[in-house]
Amino acid sequence: MTQPNRTPFVGGNWKMNTTASEAITLIDAVQSGLKGDLVEVAVYPPFVYLREIGSRCAESDILLGAQDCWHEPSGAFTGEISTTMLKDCGVTSVLTGHSERRHVIGESDELVNLKTKAAIGAGLVAVLCVGETLEQRENGQTDAVNESQIKAGLAGVGKDELGKVVIAYEPVWAIGTGKTATPDDAQDAHTKIRALVAEMYDQQAGEAMRIIYGGSMKPGNAGELMAMPDIDGGLIGGASLTAEDFLAIIDAGATQKV
Ligand code: PEP
């Protein structure tokens, strides 16, 4: 049973997928299939579709999110998007430190921290993504990696700002691979992350932090993952591109967390 103040959160990270018309078809299907409001639902479309998708989200309870942001408010940063611009489009949350940004694009912990603080400072929710690679897991470094990414990502973030943070534990080896952490392994990582937040801030902060799981979450495994006491939802990549699958995952969250 989840804590009352940890409303389950399910986010759909569309990554660099969909055409404009596919994006509209997808959001319309998600919107029309959504039942109830037990789960906070957000979608993270490509930047160029934010306005269009945002105008549809505005007609429902679906929150609009962005896959990334830049940490400076404006200026000579060719190709980048500021939090002010995102807010103009109706964005309410931003992914920071997604594994593809860390490991494909090469973002450092320091940059992830700047983006996290910029998002929070702008009044957005920062979904701070952390997780170990396969090699790190095999070397027994899972907890150390999570700890260092969370400590670095939240450096300078005050306790009073934690309501604007969701932590996504996303083992890199499970993202887009079809391999999922077992519910027990994911629960173990989440418990340790919650204890770390409690150690960094205090017990109440640890208990209140929403910690979601990401990594090949699908309709077939979402229920057992979200049934774990410290898993407060999911960040969904591939399965969020099919309305039926994404809706089934949201339903699983609602069922597990009542
Ligand atoms: C993700 O992109 O955060 C993710 C978890 O992707 P997938 O569900 O495809 O593994």
Side-chain angles (χ1 to χ4, degrees):
M1 185 78 71
T2 194
Q3 301 287 324
N5 55 352
R6 297 206 317 253
T7 304
F9 181 97
V10 173
N13 175 14
W14 297 0
K15 311 194 187 196
M16 198 175 73
N17 292 302
T18 73
T19 61
S21 68
E22 286 165 354
I24 289 165
T25 305
L26 179 55
I27 195 66
D28 285 350
V30 171
Q31 198 177 330
S32 62
L34 210 53
K35 304 177 220 132
D37 57 1
L38 292 174
V39 174
E40 208 171 288
V41 178
V43 292
Y44 298 83
F47 285 136
V48 288
Y49 306 140
L50 280 175
R51 244 187 211 292
E52 188 80 46
I53 300 303
S55 67
R56 286 169 145 83
C57 287
E59 293 160 19
S60 71
D61 290 332
I62 302 172
L63 301 169
L64 183 68
Q67 297 175 19
D68 188 28
C69 67
W70 190 244
H71 55 92
E72 297 285 355
S74 63
F77 302 102
T78 303
E80 295 297 343
I81 313 273
S82 73
T83 54
T84 313
M85 294 167 183
L86 295 177
K87 283 171 70 179
D88 263 353
C89 296
V91 163
T92 58
S93 69
V94 184
L95 306 182
T96 60
H98 188 276
S99 79
E100 285 142 26
R101 304 249 16 129
R102 291 180 189 268
H103 298 290
V104 181
I105 316 286
E107 288 192 7
S108 65
D109 275 333
E110 290 69 29
L111 183 57
V112 172
N113 175 242
L114 289 172
K115 291 181 175 191
T116 303
K117 286 190 295 190
I120 296 168
L124 301 169
V125 169
V127 180
L128 172 64
C129 306
V130 301
E132 81 286 1
T133 62
L134 183 59
E135 191 184 354
Q136 290 166 332
R137 184 174 195 82
E138 285 172 351
N139 289 334
Q141 295 171 310
T142 299
D143 300 336
V145 169
N146 287 337
E147 180 172 336
S148 73
Q149 290 183 349
I150 289 169
K151 282 190 168 161
L154 294 181
V157 175
K159 191 192 165 205
D160 57 332
E161 297 176 305
L162 290 182
K164 290 283 180 196
V165 177
V166 171
I167 296 176
Y169 168 59
E170 300 205 291
V172 180
W173 49 269
I175 297 180
T177 58
K179 294 183 191 143
T180 316
T182 65
D184 286 339
D185 282 347
Q187 166 65 18
D188 182 59
H190 283 229
T191 310
K192 288 173 177 152
I193 290 170
R194 194 173 304 291
L196 174 66
V197 174
E199 182 195 305
M200 288 168 64
Y201 295 92
D202 61 23
Q203 195 61 31
Q204 189 274 333
E207 277 165 20
M209 178 60 68
R210 285 188 292 180
I211 307 171
I212 62 175
Y213 170 83
S216 298
M217 197 187 266
K218 310 275 180 216
N221 59 25
E224 55 180 8
L225 283 161
M226 288 193 275
M228 303 311 277
D230 286 298
I231 301 184
D232 306 314
L235 185 57
I236 323 299
S240 72
L241 295 171
T242 308
E244 197 186 351
D245 287 355
F246 190 52
L247 287 164
I249 294 170
I250 295 165
D251 279 352
T255 311
Q256 295 303 333
K257 299 298 183 186
V258 285

